[in-house]
Amino acid sequence: MVGTMKRLRVLVLLHPDQAPPDSTKGYSEQEMLAWKTGYDVLSTLRAAGHDVRILGVQHELKPIRDEIEAWKPDIVFNLLEEFHGEAAYDQNVASYLELIRVPYTGCNPRGLMLARGKDLSKKLLSYHRIPVPAFAVYPKGRKVKRPARLGLPLIVKSLSEDASIGIAQKSVVDTDEKLAERVTFIHERIGTAAIAEQFIEGRELYVAVLGNERLRVLPVWELEFGTLAQGSNRIATAKVKFDVKYQERRGILQGPAEDLTPELRARIDRLTKRICRTLELDGYSRIDFRLTPEGVPYFIEANPNPEIAKLEVFADAAIHDGMSYDAMLQRILSLGMSRAKRIG
Ligand SMILES: Nc1ncnc2c1ncn2[C@@H]1O[C@H](COP(=O)(O)OP(=O)(O)O)[C@@H](O)[C@H]1O
Ligand SMILES: [Mg+2]
């Protein structure tokens, strides 16, 4: 049901590989991962009465412009996470939509840019005294030297990629030799600069947020690592995130974070809002923390336009907060519409 919202023409932008088939019949959960988000958004918005078209784009802007001029959508549902295969170009697509004056869902280009580099967001937040892991950045070709202020163990990641690309058990290093090895791995195999961060032992918490100026923080969510092999670091590797069989075997689950004191919940809530404001995030985002055994939440990463497929963190947290999946998507649409109105 459309509810209070009028019927909209919605153009869903996504990567061609994310374009969903008509039905999920005959596909395994693992196979569905690539296009599940597109499928859930498309089918839910159609069932709600909206007129929805889907457009796969990757190398050309012209099809976007043509479709917008010909069909005149009320809003673009922006599920694009890259352009020319480059994750950092997501902000340019949002900028383009802004320049051609079409309302779009999710984060504005400045927020996308500020949240993107795993170093930049931490620099901005530490100015506001928000706890972040200490770190060093290693551009490609630079010799790997560990600054004295940075103790071991460290975790080595790509500076700019997400979806745990390049993150495995070996990412956590406890010697200078392993640090150099892993930085070289990121430079050569992932092809980006590397960041080495102080490894924060503790629980993994995710906080979903909806809103432009007024922010609604959803209940704190936790990734539970189940029974990883002996001696494994409890981190969200690519395997932990995307290997369905492995998740089942190891009992890896996500759900509401239990046993947080009301004070800590309130602290995380406030921190999350300050982070969203500092990084100029709007629309919908998810802020990731590591909670130390002493109860200090460290900022790890901000994810503007996070995963919103059914049964993933964002949607589950919304449902837990009394918002149906359908209502959540309508909210994302109306946030896109109201931002465009404000800009005029
Ligand atoms: N400084 C850190 N301390 C402890 N664990 C970390 C740290 N940085 C990243 N991780 C682990 O690695 C995962 C992926 O890192 P993240 O920076 O979120 O990259 P991505 O953008 O690929 O998701 C996190 O969810 C967390 O489990
Ligand atoms: Mg992450």
Side-chain angles (χ1 to χ4, degrees), residues 58 80-93 112 116 160-162 165:
Q58 188 47 201
L80 259 188
E81 291 171 7
E82 55 175 62
F83 204 81
H84 293 318
E86 188 68 59
Y89 285 168
D90 61 353
Q91 76 205 38
N92 304 36
V93 174
L112 290 171
R116 157 86 32 215
S160 50
E161 286 291 344
D162 45 28
I165 291 169

Side-chain angles (χ1 to χ4, degrees), residues 154-171:
L154 296 167
I155 178 166
V156 183
K157 314 186 278 192
S158 161
L159 187 62
S160 50
E161 286 291 344
D162 45 28
S164 286
I165 291 169
I167 299 191
Q169 283 297 325
K170 279 198 173 148
S171 305

Side-chain angles (χ1 to χ4, degrees), residues 6-291:
K6 74 171 180 83
R7 178 191 168 103
L8 298 175
R9 278 192 305 277
V10 182
L11 179 64
V12 179
L13 283 190
L14 38 61
H15 188 287
D17 295 348
Q18 292 179 308
D22 291 334
S23 150
T24 57
K25 276 211 187 68
Y27 293 97
S28 71
E29 207 182 317
Q30 190 72 52
E31 288 166 333
M32 282 194 267
L33 278 186
W35 45 260
K36 181 74 169 28
T37 314
Y39 181 86
D40 289 345
V41 168
L42 190 72
S43 57
T44 305
L45 292 181
R46 278 192 180 147
H50 296 298
D51 195 355
V52 191
R53 283 194 196 175
I54 206 154
L55 182 65
V57 282
Q58 188 47 201
H59 295 291
E60 291 200 89
L61 291 172
K62 191 164 181 300
I64 304 179
R65 181 161 201 148
D66 287 349
E67 188 69 11
I68 287 169
E69 282 177 355
W71 191 50
K72 302 196 169 43
D74 296 296
I75 186 162
V76 167
F77 206 113
N78 184 17
L79 292 180
L80 259 188
E81 291 171 7
E82 55 175 62
F83 204 81
H84 293 318
E86 188 68 59
Y89 285 168
D90 61 353
Q91 76 205 38
N92 304 36
V93 174
S95 296
Y96 179 70
L97 297 173
E98 240 166 32
L99 294 182
I100 60 175
R101 293 178 180 276
V102 61
Y104 61 93
T105 62
C107 192
N108 71 87
R110 274 178 66 80
L112 290 171
M113 183 189 68
L114 297 180
R116 157 86 32 215
K118 290 182 195 299
D119 54 343
L120 179 58
S121 55
K122 292 187 181 76
K123 285 179 190 166
L124 293 169
L125 296 175
S126 64
Y127 176 83
H128 293 285
R129 300 183 197 288
I130 289 166
V132 302
F135 65 87
V137 172
Y138 300 103
K140 280 210 268 186
R142 184 82 55 88
K143 226 176 112 49
V144 182
K145 197 172 164 297
R146 180 168 57 90
R149 61 180 167 81
L150 206 56
L152 295 162
L154 296 167
I155 178 166
V156 183
K157 314 186 278 192
S158 161
L159 187 62
S160 50
E161 286 291 344
D162 45 28
S164 286
I165 291 169
I167 299 191
Q169 283 297 325
K170 279 198 173 148
S171 305
V172 182
V173 298
D174 55 7
T175 65
D176 284 315
E177 202 187 339
K178 287 184 191 159
L179 168 65
E181 261 174 41
R182 197 64 191 179
V183 169
T184 307
F185 171 89
I186 297 288
H187 288 171
E188 290 176 358
R189 301 288 291 279
I190 311 299
T192 67
I195 182 170
E197 289 178 9
Q198 175 194 359
F199 182 68
I200 310 291
E201 193 61 70
R203 294 166 69 178
E204 173 122 350
L205 303 182
Y206 300 138
V207 188
V209 189
L210 272 165
N212 294 338
E213 292 95 45
R214 282 223 328 278
L215 301 175
R216 172 168 173 180
V217 178
L218 300 181
V220 180
W221 229 242
E222 179 164 15
L223 180 68
E224 291 179 49
F225 292 97
T227 53
L228 292 190
Q230 267 278 308
S232 293
N233 291 298
R234 299 166 82 75
I235 56 171
T237 58
K239 215 173 157 74
V240 164
K241 278 189 192 168
F242 304 115
D243 187 333
V244 176
K245 290 253 163 58
Y246 181 77
Q247 292 165 353
E248 281 166 8
R249 205 161 61 237
R250 295 295 184 180
I252 297 162
L253 295 169
Q254 45 98 355
E258 316 262 348
D259 308 323
L260 304 181
T261 63
E263 294 75 32
L264 182 56
R265 280 182 199 280
R267 169 140 198 245
I268 292 176
D269 202 275
R270 276 197 311 275
L271 265 181
T272 300
K273 286 181 178 160
R274 285 172 63 207
I275 292 166
C276 290
R277 299 219 162 91
T278 304
L279 301 179
E280 301 187 31
L281 305 182
D282 61 5
Y284 60 106
S285 26
R286 196 192 71 230
I287 310 299
D288 299 353
F289 296 94
R290 297 278 290 193
L291 179 67

Side-chain angles (χ1 to χ4, degrees), residues 36-45 48 77 79 210 307-320 322-332:
K36 181 74 169 28
T37 314
Y39 181 86
D40 289 345
V41 168
L42 190 72
S43 57
T44 305
L45 292 181
F77 206 113
L79 292 180
L210 272 165
E307 175 58 69
I308 45 166
K310 283 183 188 170
L311 304 179
E312 299 287 348
V313 174
F314 199 102
D316 275 0
I319 287 169
H320 195 74
M323 204 182 221
S324 67
Y325 187 68
D326 170 281
M328 179 197 97
L329 292 184
Q330 308 259 12
R331 183 73 192 134
I332 289 174

